[in-house]
């Protein structure tokens, strides 16, 4: 069991900043996913926690103890890599038992522990095979078993599913969730795959260019993205984002762009005449012949089997609508789109920060409040 604290950790490679002042407090037993595009610094951050890379500045604590300068084997952590890194000449049993042999544990104890862990991961029948005679999914489980054998306080995993095909990936996701519940250990899991993050994480830390954009539950990031980057990164297809203006008309605030004029759930007069970046998720736009909020023309309809993606151009704004199939519209048709005022997200077009006029100012981050007063 382990709590992991990352305190203002940075990593430079020459002049390049791979990780910039990242702070994270990961509670014992959490399943925290580090999510972000390729090259954003996820692996570098994980490797610093594992002790495979030294931070340029900042501290790493495991259960309150500063381990920043400790060797990897002296941190109570186990790492699982994308490549599995199994020893090809050793059997599955020897691969799994390797960390215990390296620590000179008694033979009988190693055998007992290997068979216990192998049973947990359904590897008992494969113990005498070598890695070459295993499928990708089985190799991945051996790598996990080898990490589990020491009973570490935390598991650090770097894209462990990315070499598996889609079907096996989804099965293994479910297995990892079950394993996490069974072990009750801390999982720190790196991926660029938003589906893995949304389905497995108790919390997600979304990184971009070495910086944390937002930390929160999957629901918080999806429903209340702190920045336009988060809004655009989560969701498939992604949130529609377009430049707009907030204006006062007929006693209410409206978000307006060429082809769009929709009421906002805002009562305050602040913000009128303000440039914004407006966002609306494809599944929140509803096709409605009588709707006036958005008037546009259908440019393409994509059939996904269970649903359809309808591409609409409203003035100069291009929108994607996700609708049940059949959506019942034709390319070239002029249609209306309806939306709930509460489904419109507003961001500062310069800083990208969420604007929260319409929301209660509860635990809202300081930057948000500052961003509002910037433009108000
Ligand atoms: N050993 C290294 N030397 C120089 N640059 C590196 C090294 N490792 C990573 N980088 C750079 O740091 C950045 C972050 O890399 P990485 O942590 O691997 O990203 P991710 O895992 O999110 O794809 C990238 O720009 C990468 O090129
Ligand atoms: Mg990586």
């Amino acid at each position: 069991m382990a709590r992991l604290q990352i305190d203002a950790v940075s990593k430079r490679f020459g002049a390049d900043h791979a990780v910039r002042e990242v702070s994270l407090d990961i509670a014992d037993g959490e399943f925290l996913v580090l999510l972000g595009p390729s090259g954003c610094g996820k692996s570098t951050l994980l490797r610093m926690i594992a002790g495979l890379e030294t931070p340029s500045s900042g501290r790493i604590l495991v259960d309150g103890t500063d381990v920043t300068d400790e060797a990897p084997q002296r941190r109570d952590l186990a790492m699982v890599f994308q490549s599995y890194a199994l020893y090809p000449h050793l059997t599955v049993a020897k691969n799994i038992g390797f960390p215990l042999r390296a620590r000179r544990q008694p033979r009988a104890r190693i055998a007992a522990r290997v068979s216990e862990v192998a049973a947990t991961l359904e590897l008992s029948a494969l113990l005498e095979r070598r890695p070459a005679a295993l499928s990708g999914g089985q190799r991945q489980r051996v790598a996990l078993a080898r990490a589990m054998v020491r009973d570490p306080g935390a598991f650090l995993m770097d894209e462990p599913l990315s070499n598996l095909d889609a079907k096996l990936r989804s099965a293994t996701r479910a297995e990892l969730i079950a394993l996490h519940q069974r072990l009750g250990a801390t999982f720190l899991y790196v991926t660029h795959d938003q589906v893995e993050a949304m389905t497995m994480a108790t919390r997600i830390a979304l990184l971009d260019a070495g910086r944390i954009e937002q930390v929160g539950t999957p629901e918080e990031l999806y429903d209340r993205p702190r920045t336009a980057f988060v809004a655009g990164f989560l969701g498939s297809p992604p949130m529609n984002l377009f430049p707009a203006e907030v204006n006062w008309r007929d006693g209410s605030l409206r978000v307006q762009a060429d082809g769009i004029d929709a009421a906002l759930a805002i009562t305050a007069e602040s913000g009128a005449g303000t440039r914004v970046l407006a966002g609306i998720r494809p599944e929140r736009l509803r096709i409605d012949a009588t709707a006036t909020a958005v008037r546009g023309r259908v440019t393409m309809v994509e059939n996904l089997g269970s649903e359809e993606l309808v591409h609409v151009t409203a003035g100069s704004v291009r929108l994607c609508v996700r609708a049940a199939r059949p959506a019942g519209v034709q390319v070239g048709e002029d249609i209306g789109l309806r939306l709930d005022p509460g489904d419109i997200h507003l961001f500062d077009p310069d800083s990208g920060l969420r604007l929260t006029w319409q929301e209660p100012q509860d635990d809202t981050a300081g930057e948000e409040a500052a961003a509002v007063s910037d433009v108000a």
Side-chain angles (χ1 to χ4, degrees):
M1 305 293 144
R3 172 184 181 190
L4 303 175
Q5 287 161 283
I6 300 152
D7 178 18
V9 165
S10 296
K11 179 69 180 178
R12 282 186 307 275
F13 292 109
D16 297 335
H17 273 81
V19 173
R20 297 163 190 260
E21 298 259 330
V22 166
S23 291
L24 265 176
D25 191 345
I26 305 163
D28 180 28
E30 255 198 276
F31 196 137
L32 188 121
V33 173
L34 286 175
L35 175 68
S38 176
C40 73
K42 306 179 295 293
S43 294
T44 303
L45 182 57
L46 199 73
R47 289 170 56 80
M48 288 192 285
I49 298 166
L52 303 171
E53 209 65 87
T54 312
S56 306
S57 60
R59 297 185 313 154
I60 290 158
L61 289 83
V62 178
D63 278 336
T65 306
D66 189 336
V67 298
T68 315
D69 299 315
E70 290 280 9
Q73 57 275 17
R74 293 181 56 91
R75 307 178 181 199
D76 181 26
L77 312 170
M79 181 121 175
V80 183
F81 298 92
Q82 172 182 353
S83 60
Y84 317 142
L86 300 177
Y87 299 104
H89 58 291
L90 297 182
T91 62
V92 167
K94 288 249 156 65
N95 264 289
I96 297 174
F98 191 86
L100 299 181
R101 276 203 308 289
R103 283 170 179 75
R104 306 196 186 292
Q105 300 262 326
R107 224 176 254 215
R109 152 134 176 88
I110 297 176
R113 188 67 191 137
V114 167
S115 93
E116 194 181 346
V117 169
T120 308
L121 291 176
E122 292 175 29
L123 292 166
S124 304
L126 307 173
L127 286 173
E128 294 314 311
R129 290 207 197 162
R130 282 176 218 285
L134 301 175
S135 70
Q138 290 166 336
R139 278 180 219 172
Q140 202 268 344
R141 294 217 299 279
V142 175
L144 257 180
R146 187 178 53 186
M148 277 168 62
V149 78
R150 282 192 298 118
D151 203 10
F155 292 88
L156 311 180
M157 304 189 197
D158 196 351
E159 314 233 8
L161 307 188
S162 56
N163 288 341
L164 306 181
D165 64 46
K167 195 169 161 208
L168 195 55
R169 223 170 27 232
S170 121
T172 315
R173 276 203 314 263
E175 278 176 26
L176 279 175
I177 295 169
L179 187 68
H180 173 250
Q181 283 166 356
R182 199 144 22 110
L183 298 177
T186 311
F187 279 34
L188 179 53
Y189 185 103
V190 160
T191 185
H192 66 276
D193 182 328
Q194 55 163 310
V195 176
E196 287 180 18
M198 291 296 290
T199 53
M200 298 196 291
T202 52
R203 277 195 308 160
I204 296 173
L206 181 51
L207 271 81
D208 182 37
R211 262 188 247 280
I212 291 192
E213 287 277 318
Q214 187 170 5
V215 186
T217 64
E219 294 73 25
E220 282 165 352
L221 267 69
Y222 194 84
D223 296 338
R224 206 164 171 274
R226 198 181 75 86
T227 65
F229 177 84
V230 179
F233 192 84
L234 288 176
S236 175
M239 186 184 284
N240 296 297
L241 288 166
F242 52 90
E245 249 188 40
V246 170
N247 288 309
W248 182 255
R249 205 194 72 203
D250 302 337
S252 78
L253 277 178
R254 312 185 64 82
V255 64
Q256 300 178 318
D258 189 15
I260 298 175
D261 185 357
L264 286 164
I266 300 173
T267 49
E269 284 181 47
S270 62
T274 301
R275 274 189 321 121
V276 297
L277 191 62
I280 174 110
R281 294 216 177 267
E283 67 270 25
R284 297 297 187 173
L285 285 166
R286 290 185 302 276
I287 296 165
D288 178 346
T290 64
T292 54
V294 182
R295 298 298 307 178
R297 179 163 294 180
V298 177
T299 57
M300 181 168 58
V301 179
E302 289 179 89
N303 176 4
L304 300 185
S306 59
E307 51 195 12
E308 284 181 343
L309 299 182
V310 178
H311 297 264
V312 177
T313 300
S316 56
V317 177
R318 293 161 70 164
L319 298 167
C320 178
V321 183
R322 216 164 110 181
R325 190 168 73 97
V329 296
Q330 310 293 327
V331 171
E333 193 178 335
D334 287 319
I335 63 167
L337 297 173
R338 197 153 47 84
L339 56 149
D340 285 342
D343 286 333
I344 301 170
H345 303 256
L346 300 177
F347 302 95
D348 181 316
D350 301 317
S351 69
L353 286 168
R354 181 183 192 81
L355 302 170
T356 54
W357 303 312
Q358 78 264 52
E359 291 165 324
Q361 303 287 310
D362 42 23
D363 57 341
T364 314
E367 304 101 298
E368 288 177 333
V372 171
S373 54
D374 277 346
V375 290

